[in-house]
Amino acid sequence: MDEIRLFAESIIENVEKVIVGKRQSIELSVIGLLCQGHLLIEDVPGVGKTMLARSLAKSIGCEFKRIQFTPDMLPSDITGVSIFNQAVQDFEYRPGPIMAQVVLADEINRATPKTQSALLEAMQEKQVTVDGITHKLPEPFMVFATQNPIEYEGTFRLPEAQLDRFLLRIKLGYPETENEIDILDRQQYGHPLIELSSIVTAAEIQNAQQAIQSVHIAPKVKRYIVEIASRTRQHPEVYLGASPRGSLALYRASQALAALHGRDYVLPDDIKALAIPALSHRIILGPGARLKNLTADDIVSAVIGEMLVPGGDPKAK
């Protein structure tokens, strides 16, 4: 797995030329890429959510498109439309912005549920259907969706079915003082994104995506994943716990994290490191949790803290 580690490290270091002091968030983005998953970035404005998506797209040499979601947006504004061409006396498909390899759905919760649902088929099936005709999306395909967790006026909460489609939820947070000074220095004469170059090809990405699937997960570790998800469903403060899709997301993400560290097997520590990003956005809290000011992150942390970590040989059959 050293090849995967070096491959991922080269992408991370390239993105760090633009995103300063947020290595963990960049690693999670690369994990999402390797797992062929989609990412939900939830944070306040101005911390680099858009720049993270653009930097990753440029580093991997993929076509990038941004969709600014608004309340008056229609599903066809995303998927594209069929227009009658008088020259050929037939309808032809005009692709929408979803027809890209890396798509940024900016402020996704500002669009109506009808428009949000236009992403469901694209995210799950990697295709869009317009006027009964299916159009395949380019590969690799990845969605970065952003939302502001502070300002909720004029927004529409993402439905659980769509939240469940996101492999991981990422929070960037404000930079440390020294990192923020570094950002000022780097942008004194121009934005570093302009000079950022592509360092890998689409074929290399697809090979890496296939390679991580061979990372071994011992039966005890698989049971550990399932028990974490199961306990979120049984927690007294939870109305709806993590779904089996959440277990699968944690399974796939842990394979990618192990590969990033040069291992061909998953450790329980990989599961613990990814449990909150992979599961917390899938959990719906009960009324009691809100009264106690508990968050989904708190629930997942409590579940992990109560469980025994599986031991033994990580490669045991």
Side-chain angles (χ1 to χ4, degrees), residues 7 36 139-140 201-211:
F7 171 84
Q36 305 177 56
E139 292 187 2
T201 65
E204 290 174 329
I205 295 168
Q206 290 173 326
N207 290 337
Q209 290 172 340
Q210 293 176 358

mmCIF file with all atom_site columns, all heavy atoms in Angstrom, residues 7 36 139-140 201-211:
data_model
loop_
_atom_site.group_PDB
_atom_site.id
_atom_site.type_symbol
_atom_site.label_atom_id
_atom_site.label_alt_id
_atom_site.label_comp_id
_atom_site.label_asym_id
_atom_site.label_entity_id
_atom_site.label_seq_id
_atom_site.pdbx_PDB_ins_code
_atom_site.Cartn_x
_atom_site.Cartn_y
_atom_site.Cartn_z
_atom_site.occupancy
_atom_site.B_iso_or_equiv
_atom_site.pdbx_formal_charge
_atom_site.auth_seq_id
_atom_site.auth_comp_id
_atom_site.auth_asym_id
_atom_site.auth_atom_id
_atom_site.pdbx_PDB_model_num
ATOM 1   N N   . PHE A 1 7   ? 0.732   8.239  -3.339  1.00 0.00 ? 7   PHE A N   1
ATOM 2   C CA  . PHE A 1 7   ? -0.242  8.864  -4.232  1.00 0.00 ? 7   PHE A CA  1
ATOM 3   C C   . PHE A 1 7   ? -1.098  9.876  -3.462  1.00 0.00 ? 7   PHE A C   1
ATOM 4   O O   . PHE A 1 7   ? -1.262  11.035 -3.879  1.00 0.00 ? 7   PHE A O   1
ATOM 5   C CB  . PHE A 1 7   ? -1.119  7.764  -4.848  1.00 0.00 ? 7   PHE A CB  1
ATOM 6   C CG  . PHE A 1 7   ? -2.310  8.254  -5.620  1.00 0.00 ? 7   PHE A CG  1
ATOM 7   C CD1 . PHE A 1 7   ? -2.194  8.625  -6.946  1.00 0.00 ? 7   PHE A CD1 1
ATOM 8   C CD2 . PHE A 1 7   ? -3.563  8.341  -5.013  1.00 0.00 ? 7   PHE A CD2 1
ATOM 9   C CE1 . PHE A 1 7   ? -3.298  9.072  -7.659  1.00 0.00 ? 7   PHE A CE1 1
ATOM 10  C CE2 . PHE A 1 7   ? -4.663  8.784  -5.718  1.00 0.00 ? 7   PHE A CE2 1
ATOM 11  C CZ  . PHE A 1 7   ? -4.534  9.152  -7.054  1.00 0.00 ? 7   PHE A CZ  1
ATOM 12  N N   . GLN A 1 36  ? -14.856 6.868  -3.701  1.00 0.00 ? 36  GLN A N   1
ATOM 13  C CA  . GLN A 1 36  ? -15.872 7.245  -4.686  1.00 0.00 ? 36  GLN A CA  1
ATOM 14  C C   . GLN A 1 36  ? -17.127 7.771  -3.990  1.00 0.00 ? 36  GLN A C   1
ATOM 15  O O   . GLN A 1 36  ? -18.257 7.482  -4.390  1.00 0.00 ? 36  GLN A O   1
ATOM 16  C CB  . GLN A 1 36  ? -16.228 6.061  -5.583  1.00 0.00 ? 36  GLN A CB  1
ATOM 17  C CG  . GLN A 1 36  ? -15.026 5.429  -6.281  1.00 0.00 ? 36  GLN A CG  1
ATOM 18  C CD  . GLN A 1 36  ? -15.384 4.219  -7.113  1.00 0.00 ? 36  GLN A CD  1
ATOM 19  O OE1 . GLN A 1 36  ? -16.238 4.293  -7.995  1.00 0.00 ? 36  GLN A OE1 1
ATOM 20  N NE2 . GLN A 1 36  ? -14.751 3.086  -6.843  1.00 0.00 ? 36  GLN A NE2 1
ATOM 21  N N   . GLU A 1 139 ? -16.425 10.054 -15.133 1.00 0.00 ? 139 GLU A N   1
ATOM 22  C CA  . GLU A 1 139 ? -15.721 9.441  -14.004 1.00 0.00 ? 139 GLU A CA  1
ATOM 23  C C   . GLU A 1 139 ? -14.296 9.979  -13.931 1.00 0.00 ? 139 GLU A C   1
ATOM 24  O O   . GLU A 1 139 ? -13.687 10.232 -14.974 1.00 0.00 ? 139 GLU A O   1
ATOM 25  C CB  . GLU A 1 139 ? -15.703 7.921  -14.153 1.00 0.00 ? 139 GLU A CB  1
ATOM 26  C CG  . GLU A 1 139 ? -17.093 7.285  -14.011 1.00 0.00 ? 139 GLU A CG  1
ATOM 27  C CD  . GLU A 1 139 ? -17.026 5.771  -13.985 1.00 0.00 ? 139 GLU A CD  1
ATOM 28  O OE1 . GLU A 1 139 ? -15.908 5.221  -14.038 1.00 0.00 ? 139 GLU A OE1 1
ATOM 29  O OE2 . GLU A 1 139 ? -18.084 5.137  -13.906 1.00 0.00 ? 139 GLU A OE2 1
ATOM 30  N N   . PRO A 1 140 ? -13.756 10.136 -12.729 1.00 0.00 ? 140 PRO A N   1
ATOM 31  C CA  . PRO A 1 140 ? -14.428 9.996  -11.427 1.00 0.00 ? 140 PRO A CA  1
ATOM 32  C C   . PRO A 1 140 ? -15.436 11.117 -11.201 1.00 0.00 ? 140 PRO A C   1
ATOM 33  O O   . PRO A 1 140 ? -15.287 12.200 -11.763 1.00 0.00 ? 140 PRO A O   1
ATOM 34  C CB  . PRO A 1 140 ? -13.271 10.072 -10.432 1.00 0.00 ? 140 PRO A CB  1
ATOM 35  C CG  . PRO A 1 140 ? -12.235 10.900 -11.127 1.00 0.00 ? 140 PRO A CG  1
ATOM 36  C CD  . PRO A 1 140 ? -12.340 10.547 -12.580 1.00 0.00 ? 140 PRO A CD  1
ATOM 37  N N   . THR A 1 201 ? -3.496  11.729 -12.726 1.00 0.00 ? 201 THR A N   1
ATOM 38  C CA  . THR A 1 201 ? -4.442  11.595 -13.828 1.00 0.00 ? 201 THR A CA  1
ATOM 39  C C   . THR A 1 201 ? -5.704  10.864 -13.366 1.00 0.00 ? 201 THR A C   1
ATOM 40  O O   . THR A 1 201 ? -5.703  10.212 -12.309 1.00 0.00 ? 201 THR A O   1
ATOM 41  C CB  . THR A 1 201 ? -3.813  10.829 -14.998 1.00 0.00 ? 201 THR A CB  1
ATOM 42  O OG1 . THR A 1 201 ? -3.540  9.470  -14.568 1.00 0.00 ? 201 THR A OG1 1
ATOM 43  C CG2 . THR A 1 201 ? -2.525  11.492 -15.450 1.00 0.00 ? 201 THR A CG2 1
ATOM 44  N N   . ALA A 1 202 ? -6.748  10.949 -14.170 1.00 0.00 ? 202 ALA A N   1
ATOM 45  C CA  . ALA A 1 202 ? -8.000  10.272 -13.851 1.00 0.00 ? 202 ALA A CA  1
ATOM 46  C C   . ALA A 1 202 ? -7.802  8.757  -13.798 1.00 0.00 ? 202 ALA A C   1
ATOM 47  O O   . ALA A 1 202 ? -8.391  8.069  -12.950 1.00 0.00 ? 202 ALA A O   1
ATOM 48  C CB  . ALA A 1 202 ? -9.074  10.632 -14.873 1.00 0.00 ? 202 ALA A CB  1
ATOM 49  N N   . ALA A 1 203 ? -6.952  8.228  -14.679 1.00 0.00 ? 203 ALA A N   1
ATOM 50  C CA  . ALA A 1 203 ? -6.687  6.781  -14.699 1.00 0.00 ? 203 ALA A CA  1
ATOM 51  C C   . ALA A 1 203 ? -6.008  6.344  -13.405 1.00 0.00 ? 203 ALA A C   1
ATOM 52  O O   . ALA A 1 203 ? -6.331  5.281  -12.843 1.00 0.00 ? 203 ALA A O   1
ATOM 53  C CB  . ALA A 1 203 ? -5.818  6.424  -15.896 1.00 0.00 ? 203 ALA A CB  1
ATOM 54  N N   . GLU A 1 204 ? -5.082  7.149  -12.897 1.00 0.00 ? 204 GLU A N   1
ATOM 55  C CA  . GLU A 1 204 ? -4.407  6.833  -11.635 1.00 0.00 ? 204 GLU A CA  1
ATOM 56  C C   . GLU A 1 204 ? -5.384  6.858  -10.467 1.00 0.00 ? 204 GLU A C   1
ATOM 57  O O   . GLU A 1 204 ? -5.297  6.035  -9.542  1.00 0.00 ? 204 GLU A O   1
ATOM 58  C CB  . GLU A 1 204 ? -3.261  7.824  -11.390 1.00 0.00 ? 204 GLU A CB  1
ATOM 59  C CG  . GLU A 1 204 ? -2.088  7.650  -12.331 1.00 0.00 ? 204 GLU A CG  1
ATOM 60  C CD  . GLU A 1 204 ? -1.033  8.736  -12.164 1.00 0.00 ? 204 GLU A CD  1
ATOM 61  O OE1 . GLU A 1 204 ? -1.406  9.874  -11.816 1.00 0.00 ? 204 GLU A OE1 1
ATOM 62  O OE2 . GLU A 1 204 ? 0.160   8.447  -12.376 1.00 0.00 ? 204 GLU A OE2 1
ATOM 63  N N   . ILE A 1 205 ? -6.337  7.777  -10.506 1.00 0.00 ? 205 ILE A N   1
ATOM 64  C CA  . ILE A 1 205 ? -7.347  7.849  -9.452  1.00 0.00 ? 205 ILE A CA  1
ATOM 65  C C   . ILE A 1 205 ? -8.202  6.590  -9.445  1.00 0.00 ? 205 ILE A C   1
ATOM 66  O O   . ILE A 1 205 ? -8.445  5.991  -8.391  1.00 0.00 ? 205 ILE A O   1
ATOM 67  C CB  . ILE A 1 205 ? -8.239  9.093  -9.648  1.00 0.00 ? 205 ILE A CB  1
ATOM 68  C CG1 . ILE A 1 205 ? -7.411  10.369 -9.467  1.00 0.00 ? 205 ILE A CG1 1
ATOM 69  C CG2 . ILE A 1 205 ? -9.412  9.080  -8.672  1.00 0.00 ? 205 ILE A CG2 1
ATOM 70  C CD1 . ILE A 1 205 ? -8.120  11.616 -9.919  1.00 0.00 ? 205 ILE A CD1 1
ATOM 71  N N   . GLN A 1 206 ? -8.633  6.166  -10.619 1.00 0.00 ? 206 GLN A N   1
ATOM 72  C CA  . GLN A 1 206 ? -9.482  4.974  -10.707 1.00 0.00 ? 206 GLN A CA  1
ATOM 73  C C   . GLN A 1 206 ? -8.724  3.720  -10.276 1.00 0.00 ? 206 GLN A C   1
ATOM 74  O O   . GLN A 1 206 ? -9.299  2.834  -9.637  1.00 0.00 ? 206 GLN A O   1
ATOM 75  C CB  . GLN A 1 206 ? -10.021 4.830  -12.126 1.00 0.00 ? 206 GLN A CB  1
ATOM 76  C CG  . GLN A 1 206 ? -11.043 5.914  -12.471 1.00 0.00 ? 206 GLN A CG  1
ATOM 77  C CD  . GLN A 1 206 ? -11.464 5.890  -13.923 1.00 0.00 ? 206 GLN A CD  1
ATOM 78  O OE1 . GLN A 1 206 ? -10.673 5.568  -14.810 1.00 0.00 ? 206 GLN A OE1 1
ATOM 79  N NE2 . GLN A 1 206 ? -12.715 6.250  -14.198 1.00 0.00 ? 206 GLN A NE2 1
ATOM 80  N N   . ASN A 1 207 ? -7.438  3.643  -10.584 1.00 0.00 ? 207 ASN A N   1
ATOM 81  C CA  . ASN A 1 207 ? -6.625  2.507  -10.128 1.00 0.00 ? 207 ASN A CA  1
ATOM 82  C C   . ASN A 1 207 ? -6.508  2.494  -8.610  1.00 0.00 ? 207 ASN A C   1
ATOM 83  O O   . ASN A 1 207 ? -6.591  1.435  -7.973  1.00 0.00 ? 207 ASN A O   1
ATOM 84  C CB  . ASN A 1 207 ? -5.233  2.567  -10.763 1.00 0.00 ? 207 ASN A CB  1
ATOM 85  C CG  . ASN A 1 207 ? -5.251  2.264  -12.252 1.00 0.00 ? 207 ASN A CG  1
ATOM 86  O OD1 . ASN A 1 207 ? -6.175  1.616  -12.743 1.00 0.00 ? 207 ASN A OD1 1
ATOM 87  N ND2 . ASN A 1 207 ? -4.251  2.737  -12.964 1.00 0.00 ? 207 ASN A ND2 1
ATOM 88  N N   . ALA A 1 208 ? -6.326  3.683  -8.019  1.00 0.00 ? 208 ALA A N   1
ATOM 89  C CA  . ALA A 1 208 ? -6.229  3.785  -6.555  1.00 0.00 ? 208 ALA A CA  1
ATOM 90  C C   . ALA A 1 208 ? -7.556  3.422  -5.904  1.00 0.00 ? 208 ALA A C   1
ATOM 91  O O   . ALA A 1 208 ? -7.595  2.774  -4.848  1.00 0.00 ? 208 ALA A O   1
ATOM 92  C CB  . ALA A 1 208 ? -5.806  5.197  -6.157  1.00 0.00 ? 208 ALA A CB  1
ATOM 93  N N   . GLN A 1 209 ? -8.660  3.827  -6.510  1.00 0.00 ? 209 GLN A N   1
ATOM 94  C CA  . GLN A 1 209 ? -9.983  3.501  -5.981  1.00 0.00 ? 209 GLN A CA  1
ATOM 95  C C   . GLN A 1 209 ? -10.217 1.998  -5.941  1.00 0.00 ? 209 GLN A C   1
ATOM 96  O O   . GLN A 1 209 ? -10.829 1.477  -5.015  1.00 0.00 ? 209 GLN A O   1
ATOM 97  C CB  . GLN A 1 209 ? -11.065 4.198  -6.815  1.00 0.00 ? 209 GLN A CB  1
ATOM 98  C CG  . GLN A 1 209 ? -11.102 5.711  -6.621  1.00 0.00 ? 209 GLN A CG  1
ATOM 99  C CD  . GLN A 1 209 ? -12.047 6.399  -7.588  1.00 0.00 ? 209 GLN A CD  1
ATOM 100 O OE1 . GLN A 1 209 ? -12.412 5.844  -8.631  1.00 0.00 ? 209 GLN A OE1 1
ATOM 101 N NE2 . GLN A 1 209 ? -12.456 7.611  -7.268  1.00 0.00 ? 209 GLN A NE2 1
ATOM 102 N N   . GLN A 1 210 ? -9.728  1.314  -6.950  1.00 0.00 ? 210 GLN A N   1
ATOM 103 C CA  . GLN A 1 210 ? -9.864  -0.145 -6.982  1.00 0.00 ? 210 GLN A CA  1
ATOM 104 C C   . GLN A 1 210 ? -8.920  -0.817 -5.991  1.00 0.00 ? 210 GLN A C   1
ATOM 105 O O   . GLN A 1 210 ? -9.270  -1.822 -5.364  1.00 0.00 ? 210 GLN A O   1
ATOM 106 C CB  . GLN A 1 210 ? -9.602  -0.667 -8.393  1.00 0.00 ? 210 GLN A CB  1
ATOM 107 C CG  . GLN A 1 210 ? -10.658 -0.247 -9.407  1.00 0.00 ? 210 GLN A CG  1
ATOM 108 C CD  . GLN A 1 210 ? -10.337 -0.696 -10.817 1.00 0.00 ? 210 GLN A CD  1
ATOM 109 O OE1 . GLN A 1 210 ? -9.291  -1.301 -11.068 1.00 0.00 ? 210 GLN A OE1 1
ATOM 110 N NE2 . GLN A 1 210 ? -11.231 -0.404 -11.753 1.00 0.00 ? 210 GLN A NE2 1
ATOM 111 N N   . ALA A 1 211 ? -7.727  -0.238 -5.829  1.00 0.00 ? 211 ALA A N   1
ATOM 112 C CA  . ALA A 1 211 ? -6.714  -0.850 -4.970  1.00 0.00 ? 211 ALA A CA  1
ATOM 113 C C   . ALA A 1 211 ? -7.131  -0.877 -3.503  1.00 0.00 ? 211 ALA A C   1
ATOM 114 O O   . ALA A 1 211 ? -6.861  -1.850 -2.791  1.00 0.00 ? 211 ALA A O   1
ATOM 115 C CB  . ALA A 1 211 ? -5.378  -0.114 -5.128  1.00 0.00 ? 211 ALA A CB  1
#
